[in-house]
Amino acid sequence: MAPAVEFDGVTVGFPSPDRTELVVAASEIDLTIEEGQFLAIVGPSGCGKTTLMNVLAGLIQPSRGAARRYGADVRPGPDDLGYMLARGGLCPWRTARKNVEFGLELRGVRRTERRDRAMEALAEVRMEDFADSYPSQLSNGMRQRVAIARTMVIRPRLLLMDEPFSALDAQTRLTVQDSFLRAWEQQNATVILVTHDLGEAVLMADRVAVMTARPGRIKRDLVIDLERPRDLGELRFDQRYTDLEHELWLELRSEIV
């Protein structure tokens, strides 16, 4: 079986403002992710983390090299791809349940099935009691949990997440991270998470890819050998967690400086 994701010598550049040169964001990226694996990507701002996600989503094309999903060259508009951003982007005129149903509507799922699947997804993130609430009636953490349900309800085979917890306070972030992991464990999708939070990367991922400063390259691919399922609250006090976070910081510090 082909890997879920393959980057084969991927380089991505953008024209400079005067269009006289190519500004390289990510350079010579070689990375393989097996199906069902959870990979986190960390690195300095501007090193091409989100750029790589957009390549996988088919939103931009590599300048050189090839990106593949499940053995096939990346093409836009796949039904089995979910993409979750830092802000939930809920439609303010739709209830929580209707927001979760949105992706199913686009896929032509019939009404009764949409409702049932949306309610199941909301229950997985402990939001079923707020199914008829509008986004303006929900806290930031609650809105983000609805966004998780909306992403997971389509049952994506590959899930891209670009700093989806960054806008939350520390306490709410831990709760929403836990809600997401519980929902993910039910589906076991392949996940790529972009984050600036090293602790978050260790808590959630199976592997962490560390990128250099721009032009971004893969500097380190670190295996996170922590058992699943994970109790995120307790894990923060585990010495192995502390050691892994410190190891990541040592790799990243020189790139940031």
Side-chain angles (χ1 to χ4, degrees):
M1 184 179 294
V5 170
E6 293 175 278
F7 287 107
D8 184 6
V10 168
T11 295
V12 185
F14 302 94
S16 61
D18 60 5
R19 298 188 174 274
T20 60
E21 61 179 335
L22 194 68
V23 179
V24 178
S27 177
E28 298 297 325
I29 301 296
D30 292 307
L31 192 63
T32 299
I33 307 165
E34 300 298 332
E35 185 159 16
Q37 208 166 51
F38 194 135
L39 174 81
I41 302 177
V42 301
S45 294
C47 72
K49 301 184 295 296
T50 298
T51 296
L52 294 179
M53 302 276 270
N54 288 336
V55 167
L56 277 181
L59 301 176
I60 59 177
Q61 296 294 317
S63 305
R64 293 192 300 274
R68 291 180 285 272
R69 293 194 306 259
Y70 303 101
D73 290 342
V74 169
R75 289 181 174 83
D79 288 339
D80 59 356
L81 176 73
Y83 200 162
M84 187 173 174
L85 306 177
R87 299 287 181 179
L90 301 181
C91 300
W93 59 90
R94 299 175 71 108
T95 63
R97 178 175 61 82
K98 286 292 188 179
N99 266 286
V100 175
E101 287 184 22
F102 185 61
L104 300 176
E105 288 180 33
L106 296 179
R107 286 163 172 77
V109 177
R110 59 191 178 89
R111 182 178 299 177
T112 54
E113 183 181 349
R114 288 201 311 260
R115 182 185 178 91
D116 291 344
R117 285 174 59 177
M119 290 304 296
E120 289 174 6
L122 286 168
E124 287 177 354
V125 295
R126 301 171 183 167
M127 285 295 293
E128 67 273 26
D129 292 341
F130 298 90
D132 295 323
S133 299
Y134 288 89
S136 62
Q137 298 170 313
L138 303 175
S139 68
N140 283 339
M142 295 168 81
R143 288 195 292 269
Q144 204 66 354
R145 278 190 275 169
V146 173
I148 289 171
R150 183 186 58 186
T151 303
M152 301 303 287
V153 76
I154 63 172
R155 298 168 187 165
R157 193 176 180 188
L158 174 62
L159 177 56
L160 309 178
M161 306 180 74
D162 194 355
E163 299 197 66
F165 313 112
S166 62
L168 304 175
D169 64 82
Q171 185 176 3
T172 303
R173 186 184 305 134
L174 193 62
T175 301
V176 178
Q177 287 168 341
D178 182 69
S179 293
F180 169 75
L181 282 183
R182 290 192 305 107
W184 170 68
E185 285 162 1
Q186 298 297 316
Q187 298 187 21
N188 201 33
T190 305
V191 179
I192 303 178
L193 168 71
V194 165
T195 179
H196 283 95
D197 186 331
L198 301 185
E200 178 174 271
V202 173
L203 284 174
M204 303 191 72
D206 301 314
R207 295 162 56 197
V208 181
V210 182
M211 294 185 69
T212 66
R214 187 180 65 83
R217 297 177 173 85
I218 302 296
K219 179 179 184 181
R220 178 80 184 275
D221 190 343
L222 179 66
V223 174
I224 305 299
D225 53 351
L226 300 172
E227 293 182 359
R228 295 191 186 276
R230 297 176 184 174
D231 184 327
L232 302 190
E234 292 297 322
L235 193 55
R236 287 181 175 273
F237 301 98
D238 188 292
Q239 186 60 47
R240 181 59 183 153
Y241 160 81
T242 304
D243 292 343
L244 287 165
E245 185 180 21
H246 184 234
E247 191 169 349
L248 284 176
W249 169 242
L250 292 178
E251 293 287 352
L252 197 56
R253 180 173 57 183
S254 62
E255 303 301 326
I256 295 173
V257 173

PDB file of all heavy atoms in Angstrom, residues 191-211:
ATOM      1  N   VAL A 191      -2.938  12.478  10.015  1.00  0.00           N
ATOM      2  CA  VAL A 191      -3.007  13.888  10.418  1.00  0.00           C
ATOM      3  C   VAL A 191      -1.653  14.556  10.233  1.00  0.00           C
ATOM      4  O   VAL A 191      -0.611  13.985  10.584  1.00  0.00           O
ATOM      5  CB  VAL A 191      -3.443  14.032  11.895  1.00  0.00           C
ATOM      6  CG1 VAL A 191      -3.476  15.504  12.301  1.00  0.00           C
ATOM      7  CG2 VAL A 191      -4.805  13.395  12.129  1.00  0.00           C
ATOM      8  N   ILE A 192      -1.683  15.774   9.685  1.00  0.00           N
ATOM      9  CA  ILE A 192      -0.500  16.637   9.675  1.00  0.00           C
ATOM     10  C   ILE A 192      -0.884  17.923  10.393  1.00  0.00           C
ATOM     11  O   ILE A 192      -1.814  18.621   9.976  1.00  0.00           O
ATOM     12  CB  ILE A 192      -0.014  16.943   8.253  1.00  0.00           C
ATOM     13  CG1 ILE A 192       0.284  15.640   7.502  1.00  0.00           C
ATOM     14  CG2 ILE A 192       1.237  17.819   8.294  1.00  0.00           C
ATOM     15  CD1 ILE A 192       0.715  15.847   6.068  1.00  0.00           C
ATOM     16  N   LEU A 193      -0.188  18.213  11.476  1.00  0.00           N
ATOM     17  CA  LEU A 193      -0.472  19.375  12.318  1.00  0.00           C
ATOM     18  C   LEU A 193       0.688  20.354  12.253  1.00  0.00           C
ATOM     19  O   LEU A 193       1.828  19.994  12.565  1.00  0.00           O
ATOM     20  CB  LEU A 193      -0.687  18.927  13.773  1.00  0.00           C
ATOM     21  CG  LEU A 193      -0.716  20.024  14.840  1.00  0.00           C
ATOM     22  CD1 LEU A 193      -1.996  20.853  14.733  1.00  0.00           C
ATOM     23  CD2 LEU A 193      -0.599  19.419  16.246  1.00  0.00           C
ATOM     24  N   VAL A 194       0.414  21.581  11.830  1.00  0.00           N
ATOM     25  CA  VAL A 194       1.399  22.663  11.902  1.00  0.00           C
ATOM     26  C   VAL A 194       1.190  23.400  13.214  1.00  0.00           C
ATOM     27  O   VAL A 194       0.066  23.784  13.547  1.00  0.00           O
ATOM     28  CB  VAL A 194       1.248  23.633  10.707  1.00  0.00           C
ATOM     29  CG1 VAL A 194       2.013  24.930  10.967  1.00  0.00           C
ATOM     30  CG2 VAL A 194       1.757  22.977   9.435  1.00  0.00           C
ATOM     31  N   THR A 195       2.254  23.587  13.968  1.00  0.00           N
ATOM     32  CA  THR A 195       2.143  24.270  15.254  1.00  0.00           C
ATOM     33  C   THR A 195       3.454  24.958  15.603  1.00  0.00           C
ATOM     34  O   THR A 195       4.529  24.531  15.166  1.00  0.00           O
ATOM     35  CB  THR A 195       1.752  23.283  16.375  1.00  0.00           C
ATOM     36  OG1 THR A 195       1.664  23.976  17.623  1.00  0.00           O
ATOM     37  CG2 THR A 195       2.762  22.153  16.513  1.00  0.00           C
ATOM     38  N   HIS A 196       3.346  26.044  16.384  1.00  0.00           N
ATOM     39  CA  HIS A 196       4.529  26.677  16.964  1.00  0.00           C
ATOM     40  C   HIS A 196       4.745  26.228  18.406  1.00  0.00           C
ATOM     41  O   HIS A 196       5.730  26.603  19.037  1.00  0.00           O
ATOM     42  CB  HIS A 196       4.388  28.204  16.925  1.00  0.00           C
ATOM     43  CG  HIS A 196       4.636  28.794  15.579  1.00  0.00           C
ATOM     44  ND1 HIS A 196       3.640  29.068  14.689  1.00  0.00           N
ATOM     45  CD2 HIS A 196       5.799  29.147  14.961  1.00  0.00           C
ATOM     46  CE1 HIS A 196       4.156  29.578  13.577  1.00  0.00           C
ATOM     47  NE2 HIS A 196       5.457  29.640  13.717  1.00  0.00           N
ATOM     48  N   ASP A 197       3.814  25.446  18.931  1.00  0.00           N
ATOM     49  CA  ASP A 197       3.850  25.015  20.326  1.00  0.00           C
ATOM     50  C   ASP A 197       4.528  23.647  20.406  1.00  0.00           C
ATOM     51  O   ASP A 197       3.949  22.621  20.031  1.00  0.00           O
ATOM     52  CB  ASP A 197       2.413  24.948  20.852  1.00  0.00           C
ATOM     53  CG  ASP A 197       2.346  24.650  22.347  1.00  0.00           C
ATOM     54  OD1 ASP A 197       3.255  23.990  22.873  1.00  0.00           O
ATOM     55  OD2 ASP A 197       1.357  25.070  22.983  1.00  0.00           O
ATOM     56  N   LEU A 198       5.763  23.600  20.900  1.00  0.00           N
ATOM     57  CA  LEU A 198       6.512  22.348  20.958  1.00  0.00           C
ATOM     58  C   LEU A 198       5.838  21.350  21.885  1.00  0.00           C
ATOM     59  O   LEU A 198       5.830  20.145  21.613  1.00  0.00           O
ATOM     60  CB  LEU A 198       7.951  22.610  21.415  1.00  0.00           C
ATOM     61  CG  LEU A 198       8.774  23.574  20.546  1.00  0.00           C
ATOM     62  CD1 LEU A 198      10.213  23.646  21.050  1.00  0.00           C
ATOM     63  CD2 LEU A 198       8.741  23.156  19.085  1.00  0.00           C
ATOM     64  N   GLY A 199       5.283  21.838  22.994  1.00  0.00           N
ATOM     65  CA  GLY A 199       4.587  20.951  23.914  1.00  0.00           C
ATOM     66  C   GLY A 199       3.387  20.299  23.248  1.00  0.00           C
ATOM     67  O   GLY A 199       3.126  19.108  23.437  1.00  0.00           O
ATOM     68  N   GLU A 200       2.658  21.069  22.468  1.00  0.00           N
ATOM     69  CA  GLU A 200       1.496  20.537  21.746  1.00  0.00           C
ATOM     70  C   GLU A 200       1.931  19.449  20.768  1.00  0.00           C
ATOM     71  O   GLU A 200       1.269  18.405  20.649  1.00  0.00           O
ATOM     72  CB  GLU A 200       0.808  21.669  21.002  1.00  0.00           C
ATOM     73  CG  GLU A 200      -0.385  21.247  20.166  1.00  0.00           C
ATOM     74  CD  GLU A 200      -1.091  22.459  19.571  1.00  0.00           C
ATOM     75  OE1 GLU A 200      -1.992  22.987  20.248  1.00  0.00           O
ATOM     76  OE2 GLU A 200      -0.712  22.883  18.452  1.00  0.00           O
ATOM     77  N   ALA A 201       3.034  19.674  20.080  1.00  0.00           N
ATOM     78  CA  ALA A 201       3.537  18.690  19.126  1.00  0.00           C
ATOM     79  C   ALA A 201       3.846  17.369  19.826  1.00  0.00           C
ATOM     80  O   ALA A 201       3.494  16.292  19.329  1.00  0.00           O
ATOM     81  CB  ALA A 201       4.785  19.232  18.426  1.00  0.00           C
ATOM     82  N   VAL A 202       4.493  17.447  20.982  1.00  0.00           N
ATOM     83  CA  VAL A 202       4.843  16.231  21.724  1.00  0.00           C
ATOM     84  C   VAL A 202       3.597  15.541  22.254  1.00  0.00           C
ATOM     85  O   VAL A 202       3.462  14.317  22.189  1.00  0.00           O
ATOM     86  CB  VAL A 202       5.816  16.559  22.876  1.00  0.00           C
ATOM     87  CG1 VAL A 202       6.060  15.325  23.753  1.00  0.00           C
ATOM     88  CG2 VAL A 202       7.136  17.082  22.327  1.00  0.00           C
ATOM     89  N   LEU A 203       2.662  16.313  22.784  1.00  0.00           N
ATOM     90  CA  LEU A 203       1.455  15.740  23.380  1.00  0.00           C
ATOM     91  C   LEU A 203       0.626  14.965  22.360  1.00  0.00           C
ATOM     92  O   LEU A 203       0.047  13.928  22.679  1.00  0.00           O
ATOM     93  CB  LEU A 203       0.586  16.843  23.984  1.00  0.00           C
ATOM     94  CG  LEU A 203       1.021  17.449  25.314  1.00  0.00           C
ATOM     95  CD1 LEU A 203       0.112  18.616  25.674  1.00  0.00           C
ATOM     96  CD2 LEU A 203       0.996  16.399  26.424  1.00  0.00           C
ATOM     97  N   MET A 204       0.570  15.457  21.119  1.00  0.00           N
ATOM     98  CA  MET A 204      -0.420  14.946  20.177  1.00  0.00           C
ATOM     99  C   MET A 204       0.142  14.015  19.111  1.00  0.00           C
ATOM    100  O   MET A 204      -0.569  13.126  18.639  1.00  0.00           O
ATOM    101  CB  MET A 204      -1.133  16.127  19.511  1.00  0.00           C
ATOM    102  CG  MET A 204      -1.800  17.061  20.506  1.00  0.00           C
ATOM    103  SD  MET A 204      -2.907  18.266  19.752  1.00  0.00           S
ATOM    104  CE  MET A 204      -4.273  17.216  19.280  1.00  0.00           C
ATOM    105  N   ALA A 205       1.389  14.193  18.704  1.00  0.00           N
ATOM    106  CA  ALA A 205       1.874  13.541  17.486  1.00  0.00           C
ATOM    107  C   ALA A 205       2.607  12.230  17.746  1.00  0.00           C
ATOM    108  O   ALA A 205       3.050  11.940  18.859  1.00  0.00           O
ATOM    109  CB  ALA A 205       2.782  14.500  16.720  1.00  0.00           C
ATOM    110  N   ASP A 206       2.734  11.440  16.667  1.00  0.00           N
ATOM    111  CA  ASP A 206       3.584  10.250  16.665  1.00  0.00           C
ATOM    112  C   ASP A 206       5.010  10.597  16.236  1.00  0.00           C
ATOM    113  O   ASP A 206       5.955   9.920  16.626  1.00  0.00           O
ATOM    114  CB  ASP A 206       3.036   9.204  15.673  1.00  0.00           C
ATOM    115  CG  ASP A 206       1.627   8.771  16.005  1.00  0.00           C
ATOM    116  OD1 ASP A 206       1.356   8.499  17.183  1.00  0.00           O
ATOM    117  OD2 ASP A 206       0.791   8.698  15.074  1.00  0.00           O
ATOM    118  N   ARG A 207       5.127  11.630  15.405  1.00  0.00           N
ATOM    119  CA  ARG A 207       6.415  12.113  14.921  1.00  0.00           C
ATOM    120  C   ARG A 207       6.367  13.624  14.856  1.00  0.00           C
ATOM    121  O   ARG A 207       5.300  14.203  14.658  1.00  0.00           O
ATOM    122  CB  ARG A 207       6.722  11.600  13.502  1.00  0.00           C
ATOM    123  CG  ARG A 207       6.908  10.134  13.335  1.00  0.00           C
ATOM    124  CD  ARG A 207       6.768   9.736  11.879  1.00  0.00           C
ATOM    125  NE  ARG A 207       7.664  10.449  10.971  1.00  0.00           N
ATOM    126  CZ  ARG A 207       7.484  10.494   9.650  1.00  0.00           C
ATOM    127  NH1 ARG A 207       6.451   9.903   9.075  1.00  0.00           N
ATOM    128  NH2 ARG A 207       8.351  11.149   8.889  1.00  0.00           N
ATOM    129  N   VAL A 208       7.544  14.252  14.996  1.00  0.00           N
ATOM    130  CA  VAL A 208       7.636  15.702  14.825  1.00  0.00           C
ATOM    131  C   VAL A 208       8.760  15.998  13.830  1.00  0.00           C
ATOM    132  O   VAL A 208       9.904  15.601  14.046  1.00  0.00           O
ATOM    133  CB  VAL A 208       7.910  16.426  16.154  1.00  0.00           C
ATOM    134  CG1 VAL A 208       7.978  17.938  15.919  1.00  0.00           C
ATOM    135  CG2 VAL A 208       6.843  16.100  17.188  1.00  0.00           C
ATOM    136  N   ALA A 209       8.410  16.688  12.750  1.00  0.00           N
ATOM    137  CA  ALA A 209       9.402  17.135  11.773  1.00  0.00           C
ATOM    138  C   ALA A 209       9.793  18.569  12.111  1.00  0.00           C
ATOM    139  O   ALA A 209       8.934  19.447  12.187  1.00  0.00           O
ATOM    140  CB  ALA A 209       8.845  17.049  10.359  1.00  0.00           C
ATOM    141  N   VAL A 210      11.081  18.796  12.323  1.00  0.00           N
ATOM    142  CA  VAL A 210      11.601  20.129  12.634  1.00  0.00           C
ATOM    143  C   VAL A 210      12.168  20.736  11.357  1.00  0.00           C
ATOM    144  O   VAL A 210      13.007  20.119  10.689  1.00  0.00           O
ATOM    145  CB  VAL A 210      12.700  20.063  13.714  1.00  0.00           C
ATOM    146  CG1 VAL A 210      13.196  21.472  14.048  1.00  0.00           C
ATOM    147  CG2 VAL A 210      12.186  19.363  14.969  1.00  0.00           C
ATOM    148  N   MET A 211      11.706  21.952  11.004  1.00  0.00           N
ATOM    149  CA  MET A 211      12.183  22.618   9.802  1.00  0.00           C
ATOM    150  C   MET A 211      13.175  23.718  10.147  1.00  0.00           C
ATOM    151  O   MET A 211      13.110  24.325  11.221  1.00  0.00           O
ATOM    152  CB  MET A 211      11.013  23.194   9.015  1.00  0.00           C
ATOM    153  CG  MET A 211      10.079  22.131   8.443  1.00  0.00           C
ATOM    154  SD  MET A 211       8.762  22.804   7.390  1.00  0.00           S
ATOM    155  CE  MET A 211       9.712  23.373   5.972  1.00  0.00           C
TER     156      MET A 211
END
